[in-house]
Amino acid sequence: MEHFDVAVVGLGVLGSGAAYYAAKKGAKVIAFEQFELGHVRGASHDTSRIVRTSNFAPEYVALAKSAYKDWAELEKITGYEMLTTTGGVVFFAPDSPTSASDFARSLDTHNVPYELLDAQEVKRRWPQFNIPHSVSTVYTADSGIAHAAKTVSTLQSLARSHGAILKDNTPVERLTPQASGGVIIETPKGRFHAGKVILATDAWINKLLAPLCVHIPVSVMQEQVTYFKPTDAGTFEPNRFPVWIWHGASCFYGFPCYGEPTIKAGRDYSNNLMTPEQRTFVHSPQLLEQLTSFMNGFIPDKDRQPLRTITCQYTITPDRRFIISPLENYPDIIVGLGAAHAFKFAPAFGRVLAELAVDGRTDEDISQWGIPKSATRNGKL
C-alpha cells in the first residue's frame, strides 16, 4: 500500500488548489475525483465567477486580500490572465438583511478602498441600471471576474507539474484513521495511506464522515444562472459595465459580457433543495421567470432574450460560514467547505488547506471557520 504525505478528496476548485499548494510545498500528494475532471455535477464548472474584497464580515475581506495576491502569483507563473477587473457594485435595498455600512466597516478594517454611491451617481456612471433612490450602493474598483473552468484546470495542471498524482473517476469509499497516525483511503482502484487527508467533497461530505460518527449539517440545493442576449451588447462590455450584486429580500447577481455577447445573471440561495442523487440538471421555469422579472425592472431592455440556463449545486453550511478545520477527534482529516461562496477565495482557500496538512498551521485567521458545534461527534451532539 503506497504512502503519501497528503491525499485530497474532491477536485473542484478548492481541492485542486489544495493539491497544487501541497505539492508545491514538497509534499507527496495524491488526489481523487469521483467523476471526470472538469465535470458539471458540482459547483466549479462554467465560465465566470465574481471576485471581490467587499464583504459584510472582516474575516472574509482579509482572506480575499490574500487571495488576490495568490491570483496574481498564478498569473505570473502561468502567463494567463486569471482575473478580469471590471469594478463591482453591491446594491442594498431597504429590505436587505445586510447594509452598506456593514460592508463599509469590514472594508475599513482592512483598508480596502471603496466608494458609497447614491442612486443618481450610479445612474450617471452606469445608465444601464435602474435603481430606486432608496437603494444604497458600495463600489469597489478591484472587483471583477475569474474564469471558473480555466482556474480549475490550471490548478490541476500546476499540481501535476509539482508531482501530484490526480486520479479521476475514482470515488473514495471509506476513510479509516489509524491509531499509529495517518489515514487509510479505500477506493475501487486500490487502498492508499496518507499522513493527512483533505476533504473538499462539498455536497458529498457526510458520506465519508458518517462511518466516523461525524455529521456536518449542510443543505444542498440546485441553483441556476441564465445567459441573456442584450439588445446592445456593446454597452455591457467589461470596461463599461461592472459585476453587480443586489441585496434585498432576495439576492441576485450578474456579470458584464465575458467572452461572448451575453450578460449572465442568477439568484443566490433559492432554496431549491435536493440531494446530489436527486439532481435533475433541468432548470426551474419558476426561478427563470422570477429572475427575468427582476431583470426587466433592474436592467430594462425590452428586446433582451434569455439564451440558456445552466444549473449548479450549492452546499450551504450553518450560517453559511466556511469550514476550514481538522476534525476534533481525527486531526489527520481536514475539512474544507466553501458554503457556495468560496470561488473568489479559491487559491487562498486551497493554500490554507495545504498549509494545515503540510505545516500543521497557517498564518491566515481561520478562527471563525471551525467545525460547527451542531456537528455530531462520536454519535453524540
Side-chain angles (χ1 to χ4, degrees), residues 63 146 167 225 237 287 340 374:
L63 190 65
K167 289 185 170 291
V225 294
E237 289 299 317
L287 289 177
S374 54

Side-chain angles (χ1 to χ4, degrees), residues 1 3 176-184 193-195 332:
M1 184 167 52
H3 172 79
T176 307
Q178 302 298 290
S180 57
V183 181
I184 290 178
H193 181 271
D332 291 335

